[in-house]
Amino acid sequence: MKFLTDDEVASLVDPVKVVEAVERAYILYSTGRVVMPVRSRVENREHGGDILMMPCLVPDMGIFSLKLVTVYPRNLEKSLPTINATVIALDASTGLPRLVAEARALTGLRTAAATTVSIKHLARRDFTRVGIIGTGYQARWQLRVVAANYPYTIFKAYDIDSKRLNEFVAEMGRLGHDVKPSPTAEELVRWSDVVITVTTSKQPVVLKSWVKEGTHISAIGGYTPEMVEIEPALVANSKLVVDSREAVREEAGDILKPIELGLMRFEDIYAEIGEIAAGLKPGRTDEREITVFKSVGLAVQDAATAKLLIDYLMTR
Ligand SMILES: NC(=O)c1ccc[n+]([C@@H]2O[C@H](COP(=O)([O-])OP(=O)(O)OC[C@H]3O[C@@H](n4cnc5c(N)ncnc54)[C@H](O)[C@@H]3O)[C@@H](O)[C@H]2O)c1
């Protein structure tokens, strides 16, 4: 059994292959070929932390994985990262352990792969302008994976915290990515063909009146009923695609809020992305429609990425 650090994961995972792996994972999930219990959560009140457990069995990939994610907001005071993660992967046919890995980079990669799969099926074919709102840890991976898969893309970014925005622009510049900072979220959204939201916001960061026809939005940040990134009226009036109907019903404020306001019904969700990737439903069918992909993150994405790592290690 191998142990991999985040740096090793980042250097091993190919940003194009991870998108193919996550797309396959979505197809297997939406066609009932994985066993994925809803994630469970243990609150560690003494330290103000949350521990989330994300298991998944994927027989077609011969893998069982369990990711442990911890969210400890008070870590910032200790100069430690807020979010940490570890993944354990077993051979599904024997139960033998195959891999233990730090999973911050793995999470960044598989979440960026989710956005990229949504772009493949839901963005206009001629898109070039991608705007990213929220310039934290996830945003770095979102940009790098989208850029690797769509090299002609040009980027803008916005963050409520201008210091974090400037650091992001400088860091991405050092990696060879030309990203322009936007002065406001509105300016960024009006400019963009594709908008990616990766914030921790509880208030909408994208308003309906800013969004032009044909825009695709990948809403990544919110993972609790209280978190909202997209204005409810915009979600209700878009072609709405999710990673998992079951998961968004429990966890996605971006879906629950417009339902609570009476703007849409749960049945108005057009599809799971895996149904579209499997060819069961068409993705974008009209150059003018506005598409929204809401993901809360699924354990099957972690399993597929862990499988990629195991395969790389076996061929070395
Ligand atoms: N969908 C998924 O699969 C998935 C996976 C991983 C993380 N996430 C979620 O994505 C979010 C971002 O994660 P991260 O690790 O990058 O966090 P982070 O704290 O590193 O970055 C979040 C950024 O959002 C900015 N922000 C907050 N409110 C804003 C607003 N109103 N307007 C503009 N910017 C704003 C912050 O200043 C910060 O720079 C978290 O909520 C996390 O739980 C989702």
Side-chain angles (χ1 to χ4, degrees):
M1 195 199 44
K2 280 290 285 185
F3 174 78
L4 295 176
T5 62
D6 273 328
D7 284 346
E8 289 170 320
V9 169
S11 68
L12 279 173
V13 175
D14 179 291
V16 174
K17 291 265 186 299
V18 72
V19 175
E20 292 165 12
V22 166
E23 181 172 41
R24 182 162 173 239
Y26 280 143
I27 292 172
L28 293 173
Y29 171 75
S30 291
T31 52
R33 299 182 69 85
V34 309
V35 182
M36 197 184 77
V38 174
R39 67 180 142 201
S40 54
R41 175 177 159 197
V42 172
E43 238 184 303
N44 184 348
R45 294 219 174 105
E46 188 190 347
H47 299 285
D50 263 347
I51 303 162
L52 305 166
M53 281 154 280
M54 301 176 66
C56 188
L57 173 67
V58 192
D60 291 65
M61 294 184 181
I63 190 168
F64 172 87
S65 74
L66 170 65
K67 188 170 81 173
L68 293 164
V69 190
T70 59
V71 187
Y72 278 64
R74 285 190 223 149
N75 274 6
L76 276 184
E77 299 155 20
K78 304 172 196 160
S79 300
L80 295 171
T82 307
I83 297 176
N84 288 283
T86 310
V87 71
I88 303 168
L90 314 179
D91 182 321
S93 61
T94 59
L96 290 177
R98 302 293 302 277
L99 174 76
V100 176
E102 289 183 328
R104 283 189 88 213
L106 178 143
T107 301
L109 280 154
R110 63 73 143 157
T111 305
T115 285
T116 312
V117 173
S118 83
I119 287 174
K120 176 177 169 187
H121 295 286
L122 297 169
R124 284 171 60 129
R125 292 243 167 89
D126 61 353
F127 85 93
T128 53
R129 298 170 168 200
V130 174
I132 302 179
I133 303 184
T135 56
Y137 184 76
Q138 299 306 322
R140 285 155 166 80
W141 288 112
Q142 294 282 322
L143 188 145
R144 289 170 67 178
V145 173
V146 172
N149 283 273
Y150 297 100
Y152 51 80
T153 307
I154 49 175
F155 292 94
K156 277 196 179 188
Y158 168 77
D159 197 288
I160 201 165
D161 180 331
S162 58
K163 183 165 171 278
R164 290 174 71 97
L165 172 60
N166 292 333
E167 282 168 5
F168 177 80
V169 169
E171 190 183 319
M172 293 299 105
R174 285 194 293 277
L175 292 174
H177 301 293
D178 182 21
V179 189
K180 301 267 181 296
S182 256
T184 62
E186 177 174 354
E187 194 269 343
L188 176 143
V189 172
R190 289 188 185 280
W191 172 87
S192 300
D193 302 322
V194 172
V195 178
I196 301 170
T197 60
V198 260
T199 74
T200 43
S201 185
K202 292 188 175 164
Q203 303 296 331
V205 295
V206 179
L207 302 189
K208 182 169 180 280
S209 59
W210 303 344
V211 177
K212 61 176 186 266
E213 284 183 345
T215 302
H216 171 57
I217 299 166
S218 176
I220 292 293
Y223 70 101
T224 69
E226 297 76 36
M227 296 173 86
V228 172
E229 295 190 296
I230 314 298
E231 187 179 25
L234 172 56
V235 174
N237 285 287
S238 67
K239 181 180 246 185
L240 180 58
V241 177
V242 298
D243 53 359
S244 152
R245 287 191 179 83
E246 188 187 6
V248 299
R249 190 169 217 153
E250 296 293 319
E251 300 178 352
D254 282 303
I255 309 284
L256 299 174
K257 196 73 186 169
I259 294 175
E260 194 184 301
L261 292 171
L263 300 174
M264 61 174 265
R265 298 163 308 147
F266 190 74
E267 297 69 37
D268 292 331
I269 293 173
Y270 170 71
E272 289 181 344
I273 191 76
E275 295 173 302
I276 295 175
L280 300 173
K281 282 187 174 177
R284 172 177 289 274
T285 51
D286 176 336
E287 291 304 282
R288 286 170 308 158
E289 67 189 348
I290 293 171
T291 51
V292 172
F293 172 58
K294 174 61 208 161
S295 98
V296 287
L298 305 180
V300 71
Q301 296 168 252
D302 302 316
T305 312
K307 180 66 168 72
L308 266 190
L309 286 166
I310 291 168
D311 291 347
Y312 289 141
L313 291 171
M314 281 176 63
T315 54
R316 284 209 306 186

